[in-house]
Amino acid sequence: MLGTLLPHFSCVVAEEQNIHVAIDISEFSYLPAQAEALGVPLPEVERLTLPLSDGRSLSALRFGGDAPRVTLLHGAGLNAHTWDTTSLALGLPLLAIDLAGHGDSSWRDDVDYTPRTLARDVAEALDAWTTQPQVVVGQSLGGLTGAALAASRPDLVAELVIVDITPGIDVTAGPAALREFYAGPTDFASRDELVDKAILLGFGGSRPETERGVFLNTRVRPDGRVEWKHHFAHLAAHALAAHDPGSATAPSVLHETGWDDLSGVRAPITLVRAARGFVSEADAADFQRRVPAARVVTLDATHNVQETAPVELAGLIATASAARGI
């Protein structure tokens, strides 16, 4: 089922001039300014919803009017809009998918957000929404999900780009900040309260950028309280376990069994290491040793490369697409 999310507007009164001003408060309201800043045309963008076989639904953004050539998978605690600037800079028809438990996709009752489980949803989406093998780009949790997808459904993946993650990686520098960020209540009086907290703890960039991120990753409940859209924020222990290696019998999303998925990938693989991210030079060297055919590229960015080096990442994705004739 396809559904275009039409812009929603709020009518406010400018009392001094006694006029009504329509303010766009839709999820797409930030895109025109982003496109203008990049100097690129604003593409068609729509929200898609796919009913899944188990009764849940998967949501995504589609950029461009043609059949998607690229599929983007976000990291834990993010959503499809983390790719907005990269998508605009890339200028190709693409899908940016909300993984289960994130964005507008359904939460899982079993709280299973491991890559192989998430990959099954993505495969259903690509079967429904694409007509050709994709350049699949996954950041963090999305990168390991992309590897699981490429290993289990090679017909869907023309090339795999993994952004700043490797299986079994030690990300102990990350959870401390995340633990403090998600500590305490899971609902708030206003989005400004969340923006202030994010800035205080060093998340986000400028205040307008942080406001955008908070707006797109939260929702207002019927009682007026603001809460995160992603399930991890409501499962503090699970959110932290997402950064724990786990075990073979009870793997976390970062468990090193992901190496088995990578060994089964037949498509070309690129690892993008963020110079100020989670993947160290030693991690990248280990990746290259285990996956010798892979290409490793380092970009000057933080872990969320799609937000801190979007133009450079878009250029890399465009090169991969051209190499595959996509």
Side-chain angles (χ1 to χ4, degrees):
M1 178 176 69
L2 301 186
T4 302
L5 181 63
L6 299 177
H8 297 280
F9 294 88
S10 173
C11 197
V12 299
V13 179
E15 294 182 355
E16 294 181 359
Q17 297 177 309
N18 195 30
I19 59 174
H20 290 270
V21 180
I23 299 177
D24 184 356
I25 58 169
S26 79
E27 64 172 320
F28 303 128
S29 59
Y30 298 90
L31 292 177
Q34 289 173 275
E36 183 177 2
L38 290 168
V40 299
L42 183 66
E44 295 178 36
V45 186
E46 63 178 342
R47 170 69 67 178
L48 309 180
T49 303
L50 178 70
L52 298 173
S53 55
D54 62 1
R56 293 178 299 113
S57 64
L58 195 74
S59 191
L61 302 176
R62 182 166 69 182
F63 282 71
D66 296 330
R69 306 177 197 172
V70 176
T71 292
L72 307 174
L73 307 175
H74 61 76
L78 301 175
N79 60 63
H81 279 293
T82 189
W83 297 102
D84 282 354
T85 306
T86 301
S87 299
L88 291 171
L90 182 56
L92 294 175
L94 60 83
L95 289 173
I97 294 177
D98 282 335
L99 297 176
H102 296 76
D104 288 357
S105 292
S106 300
W107 295 0
R108 293 188 62 91
D109 292 337
D110 60 6
V111 199
D112 181 1
Y113 297 113
T114 51
R116 291 178 182 177
T117 296
L118 297 175
R120 290 196 291 270
D121 290 351
V122 176
E124 282 198 51
L126 298 188
D127 281 335
W129 290 333
T130 66
T131 58
Q132 65 187 80
Q134 300 286 289
V135 173
V136 174
V137 184
Q139 184 257 342
S140 199
L141 173 59
L144 299 181
T145 300
L149 173 72
S152 61
R153 288 292 307 274
D155 57 307
L156 296 175
V157 181
E159 180 153 349
L160 176 64
V161 179
I162 300 172
V163 181
D164 206 49
I165 198 69
T166 64
I169 192 173
D170 177 8
V171 292
T172 50
L178 289 172
R179 183 178 293 108
E180 188 172 359
F181 188 60
Y182 289 124
T186 59
D187 61 283
F188 304 85
S190 69
R191 286 187 167 111
D192 279 340
E193 186 179 341
L194 268 173
V195 172
D196 291 340
K197 186 174 183 179
I199 291 174
L200 178 65
L201 294 175
F203 290 94
S206 66
R207 188 171 186 90
E209 291 171 339
T210 307
E211 288 174 345
R212 171 185 171 274
V214 167
F215 175 82
L216 294 171
N217 210 13
T218 57
R219 58 188 168 210
V220 180
R221 299 189 320 213
D223 64 1
R225 301 284 291 179
V226 175
E227 67 177 6
W228 293 108
K229 284 185 173 182
H230 60 89
H231 203 180
F232 281 3
H234 302 259
L235 300 163
H238 187 79
L240 298 176
H243 296 82
D244 185 278
S247 66
T249 55
S252 76
V253 298
L254 294 183
H255 187 254
E256 59 185 17
T257 52
W259 292 118
D260 295 334
D261 291 329
L262 284 166
S263 67
V265 174
R266 296 295 172 259
I269 299 173
T270 296
L271 171 66
V272 178
R273 185 180 83 85
R276 292 171 284 125
F278 286 174
V279 176
S280 67
E281 290 184 3
D283 292 325
D286 184 47
F287 185 96
Q288 188 77 84
R289 178 181 64 81
R290 291 173 179 260
V291 191
R295 179 174 65 134
V296 177
V297 177
T298 299
L299 295 180
D300 182 16
T302 61
H303 182 56
N304 292 349
V305 179
Q306 69 279 4
E307 297 179 2
T308 55
V311 174
E312 294 81 1
L313 182 58
L316 188 150
I317 298 168
T319 299
S321 300
R324 305 276 74 78
I326 294 176

